[in-house]
Amino acid sequence: MKASTGLLTLAAILASSTASPTPAKRASPLGVDISHYQGTVNFNTLKANGLSFVYIKATEGTTYQDPNFSANYVGATNAGLIRGGYHFAHPDSSSGATQANYFLAHGGGWSSDGITLPGALDIEYNPSGAECYGLSASAMVSWIKDFSNTYHSKTGVYPVIYTTTDWWTTCTGNSASFASTNPLWIARYSSSIGTLPAGWAYTTFWQYADSGPNPGDQDEFNGSLQGLKNLALG
Ligand SMILES: *[C@@H]1O[C@H](CO)[C@@H](O)[C@H](O)[C@H]1NC(C)=O
Ligand SMILES: CC(=O)N[C@H]1CO[C@H](CO)[C@@H](O)[C@@H]1O
């Protein structure tokens, strides 16, 4: 996913150097994740194309709200898509709790209604500064815990963690301490998902391409449509 600065994430840069893989025919529920970069999205078309869910960018740090969030969220809802918000983490600018509260106040909330996915924490390559945002692995793990525990205490569910195996390995020391609580969403633009971060036996979401037949990044839920609805029930 992209930060508001407009710089490509490393994952996107790496992916753009090779053609996006043509996904094999996928049986699992498909979705996309979008932000204002996609402009005005026709959610009825997404639904007609067979998509089941959409993650929508809400916030970054504590200073940025995606200008299209509300329009996107309402559009997705009206089209009958299962949807949720995501937050682009800036672990160098304020605490995890502060950013979780900002996200919750600006679209990242959750309720057990069968159509709202747990909010996602997008934690990945720093678009504009130090590797790992200048944090040690233990400080990074503490930051993520602070975000995750705050989100859980306010909603009753743990946020989905969006990352890459490479970033997670480098910047958390491949921490296994979220695997029993947080659903995983791995970005890997390949025909196979590859090695997962420590602890997780499986991924919940897979972002398998950064472009495709529908606007935004292309995602798959690892399970059935009922499993996806169960995630939205908590
Ligand atoms: C999908 O989940 C199942 C368990 O429910 C697991 O066996 C499988 O490896 C997962 N796939 C991926 C790509 O993680
Ligand atoms: C529906 C909506 O709000 N669309 C806006 C999304 O953001 C772009 C700018 O990135 C605007 O031009 C659209 O009007």
Side-chain angles (χ1 to χ4, degrees):
M1 293 185 241
K2 289 170 195 156
S4 64
T5 53
L7 296 176
L8 290 172
T9 62
L10 184 55
I13 293 164
L14 292 173
S16 65
S17 61
T18 54
S20 287
T22 307
K25 198 162 173 53
R26 290 167 189 267
S28 302
L30 298 179
V32 290
D33 57 85
I34 57 164
S35 70
H36 73 279
Y37 284 108
Q38 277 69 50
T40 300
V41 172
N42 187 329
F43 291 94
N44 291 322
T45 300
L46 298 189
K47 180 76 174 172
N49 287 350
L51 296 193
S52 301
F53 68 94
V54 55
Y55 263 108
I56 300 165
K57 183 169 185 175
T59 49
E60 268 192 39
T62 52
T63 56
Y64 179 83
Q65 296 176 51
D66 189 292
N68 287 167
F69 174 78
S70 294
N72 285 337
Y73 207 77
V74 169
T77 307
N78 289 343
L81 292 158
I82 295 173
R83 74 287 184 269
Y86 76 86
H87 174 80
F88 192 99
H90 284 282
D92 51 346
S93 67
S94 53
S95 75
T98 299
Q99 291 191 30
N101 285 326
Y102 184 77
F103 177 47
L104 285 162
H106 301 290
W110 183 83
S111 55
S112 174
D113 54 14
I115 60 166
T116 306
L117 294 168
L121 175 65
D122 174 2
I123 188 143
E124 55 164 298
Y125 306 99
N126 186 348
S128 57
E131 187 180 41
C132 306
Y133 300 86
L135 272 63
S136 68
S138 65
M140 185 63 79
V141 168
S142 297
W143 192 96
I144 299 168
K145 280 267 180 228
D146 195 25
F147 184 100
S148 180
N149 289 340
T150 301
Y151 192 90
H152 177 256
S153 72
K154 299 281 169 69
T155 63
V157 292
Y158 286 96
V160 171
I161 292 176
Y162 167 96
T163 193
T164 71
T165 299
D166 175 66
W167 186 89
W168 190 265
T169 303
T170 303
C171 295
T172 73
N174 207 16
S175 171
S177 57
F178 299 89
S180 64
T181 45
N182 299 70
L184 180 65
W185 179 6
I186 280 292
R188 187 164 199 259
Y189 307 153
S190 176
S191 56
S192 71
I193 198 165
T195 305
L196 297 178
W200 278 284
Y202 59 90
T203 197
T204 296
F205 292 102
W206 176 12
Q207 186 189 79
Y208 60 86
D210 67 346
S211 65
N214 294 293
D217 301 314
Q218 316 288 300
D219 299 288
E220 175 182 76
F221 174 73
N222 181 22
S224 64
L225 185 58
Q226 189 56 50
L228 181 68
K229 288 176 179 165
N230 290 345
L231 184 62
L233 288 169

mmCIF file of all heavy atoms in Angstrom, residues 192-194 196 201-204 206 220 222-223, ligand 1:
data_model
loop_
_atom_site.group_PDB
_atom_site.id
_atom_site.type_symbol
_atom_site.label_atom_id
_atom_site.label_comp_id
_atom_site.label_asym_id
_atom_site.label_seq_id
_atom_site.Cartn_x
_atom_site.Cartn_y
_atom_site.Cartn_z
ATOM 1 N N SER A 192 3.043 -17.845 -5.389
ATOM 2 C CA SER A 192 2.914 -18.518 -4.097
ATOM 3 C C SER A 192 3.255 -17.517 -2.993
ATOM 4 O O SER A 192 4.010 -16.560 -3.216
ATOM 5 C CB SER A 192 3.836 -19.735 -4.010
ATOM 6 O OG SER A 192 5.170 -19.299 -3.916
ATOM 7 N N ILE A 193 2.709 -17.734 -1.822
ATOM 8 C CA ILE A 193 2.851 -16.726 -0.769
ATOM 9 C C ILE A 193 4.218 -16.772 -0.107
ATOM 10 O O ILE A 193 4.661 -15.792 0.491
ATOM 11 C CB ILE A 193 1.706 -16.849 0.256
ATOM 12 C CG1 ILE A 193 1.587 -15.562 1.077
ATOM 13 C CG2 ILE A 193 1.877 -18.065 1.135
ATOM 14 C CD1 ILE A 193 0.307 -15.419 1.854
ATOM 15 N N GLY A 194 4.926 -17.889 -0.217
ATOM 16 C CA GLY A 194 6.268 -17.964 0.359
ATOM 17 C C GLY A 194 6.237 -18.154 1.864
ATOM 18 O O GLY A 194 5.206 -18.474 2.455
ATOM 19 N N LEU A 196 5.979 -17.469 5.679
ATOM 20 C CA LEU A 196 5.238 -16.511 6.502
ATOM 21 C C LEU A 196 6.105 -16.079 7.681
ATOM 22 O O LEU A 196 7.060 -16.766 8.048
ATOM 23 C CB LEU A 196 3.952 -17.162 7.028
ATOM 24 C CG LEU A 196 2.929 -17.586 5.972
ATOM 25 C CD1 LEU A 196 1.733 -18.257 6.651
ATOM 26 C CD2 LEU A 196 2.475 -16.410 5.126
ATOM 27 N N ALA A 201 0.670 -19.975 11.351
ATOM 28 C CA ALA A 201 0.615 -21.203 10.560
ATOM 29 C C ALA A 201 -0.022 -20.958 9.203
ATOM 30 O O ALA A 201 0.172 -21.735 8.270
ATOM 31 C CB ALA A 201 -0.169 -22.275 11.312
ATOM 32 N N TYR A 202 -0.788 -19.886 9.101
ATOM 33 C CA TYR A 202 -1.450 -19.570 7.841
ATOM 34 C C TYR A 202 -1.724 -18.080 7.793
ATOM 35 O O TYR A 202 -1.697 -17.387 8.812
ATOM 36 C CB TYR A 202 -2.758 -20.360 7.671
ATOM 37 C CG TYR A 202 -3.762 -20.108 8.758
ATOM 38 C CD1 TYR A 202 -4.700 -19.078 8.646
ATOM 39 C CD2 TYR A 202 -3.767 -20.882 9.920
ATOM 40 C CE1 TYR A 202 -5.609 -18.827 9.658
ATOM 41 C CE2 TYR A 202 -4.673 -20.640 10.939
ATOM 42 C CZ TYR A 202 -5.580 -19.610 10.799
ATOM 43 O OH TYR A 202 -6.476 -19.358 11.802
ATOM 44 N N THR A 203 -2.001 -17.593 6.591
ATOM 45 C CA THR A 203 -2.376 -16.201 6.444
ATOM 46 C C THR A 203 -3.893 -16.092 6.345
ATOM 47 O O THR A 203 -4.558 -17.017 5.879
ATOM 48 C CB THR A 203 -1.700 -15.573 5.212
ATOM 49 O OG1 THR A 203 -1.759 -14.152 5.318
ATOM 50 C CG2 THR A 203 -2.369 -16.014 3.903
ATOM 51 N N THR A 204 -4.436 -14.967 6.785
ATOM 52 C CA THR A 204 -5.878 -14.732 6.653
ATOM 53 C C THR A 204 -6.168 -14.016 5.338
ATOM 54 O O THR A 204 -7.118 -14.365 4.636
ATOM 55 C CB THR A 204 -6.394 -13.933 7.860
ATOM 56 O OG1 THR A 204 -6.217 -14.729 9.031
ATOM 57 C CG2 THR A 204 -7.872 -13.578 7.705
ATOM 58 N N TRP A 206 -4.201 -12.411 1.679
ATOM 59 C CA TRP A 206 -3.000 -12.377 0.860
ATOM 60 C C TRP A 206 -3.199 -11.286 -0.198
ATOM 61 O O TRP A 206 -4.133 -11.360 -1.002
ATOM 62 C CB TRP A 206 -2.780 -13.739 0.209
ATOM 63 C CG TRP A 206 -1.625 -13.826 -0.754
ATOM 64 C CD1 TRP A 206 -0.636 -12.916 -0.948
ATOM 65 C CD2 TRP A 206 -1.357 -14.912 -1.641
ATOM 66 N NE1 TRP A 206 0.245 -13.371 -1.909
ATOM 67 C CE2 TRP A 206 -0.172 -14.594 -2.350
ATOM 68 C CE3 TRP A 206 -1.997 -16.137 -1.909
ATOM 69 C CZ2 TRP A 206 0.376 -15.438 -3.304
ATOM 70 C CZ3 TRP A 206 -1.451 -16.980 -2.860
ATOM 71 C CH2 TRP A 206 -0.278 -16.635 -3.544
ATOM 72 N N GLU A 220 -6.902 -11.693 -1.547
ATOM 73 C CA GLU A 220 -7.672 -12.927 -1.420
ATOM 74 C C GLU A 220 -7.837 -13.233 0.059
ATOM 75 O O GLU A 220 -6.890 -13.065 0.834
ATOM 76 C CB GLU A 220 -6.894 -14.057 -2.104
ATOM 77 C CG GLU A 220 -7.495 -15.428 -1.970
ATOM 78 C CD GLU A 220 -6.608 -16.475 -2.640
ATOM 79 O OE1 GLU A 220 -5.562 -16.834 -2.059
ATOM 80 O OE2 GLU A 220 -6.940 -16.904 -3.744
ATOM 81 N N ASN A 222 -8.202 -16.114 2.775
ATOM 82 C CA ASN A 222 -7.857 -17.536 2.826
ATOM 83 C C ASN A 222 -8.928 -18.302 3.593
ATOM 84 O O ASN A 222 -8.787 -18.551 4.784
ATOM 85 C CB ASN A 222 -6.481 -17.710 3.483
ATOM 86 C CG ASN A 222 -6.075 -19.167 3.519
ATOM 87 O OD1 ASN A 222 -6.572 -19.969 2.737
ATOM 88 N ND2 ASN A 222 -5.176 -19.502 4.429
ATOM 89 N N GLY A 223 -9.985 -18.651 2.881
ATOM 90 C CA GLY A 223 -11.077 -19.397 3.507
ATOM 91 C C GLY A 223 -12.319 -19.275 2.652
ATOM 92 O O GLY A 223 -12.251 -18.886 1.486
HETATM 93 C C1 LIG B 1 -4.936 -21.041 4.362
HETATM 94 O O1 LIG B 1 -5.390 -21.522 5.604
HETATM 95 C C2 LIG B 1 -5.211 -22.921 5.783
HETATM 96 C C3 LIG B 1 -5.748 -23.257 7.136
HETATM 97 O O2 LIG B 1 -7.060 -22.768 7.298
HETATM 98 C C4 LIG B 1 -3.777 -23.309 5.662
HETATM 99 O O3 LIG B 1 -3.643 -24.710 5.723
HETATM 100 C C5 LIG B 1 -3.196 -22.770 4.371
HETATM 101 O O4 LIG B 1 -1.813 -23.011 4.354
HETATM 102 C C6 LIG B 1 -3.459 -21.314 4.275
HETATM 103 N N1 LIG B 1 -2.916 -20.771 3.071
HETATM 104 C C7 LIG B 1 -1.984 -19.834 3.131
HETATM 105 C C8 LIG B 1 -1.549 -19.333 1.792
HETATM 106 O O5 LIG B 1 -1.530 -19.407 4.172
#
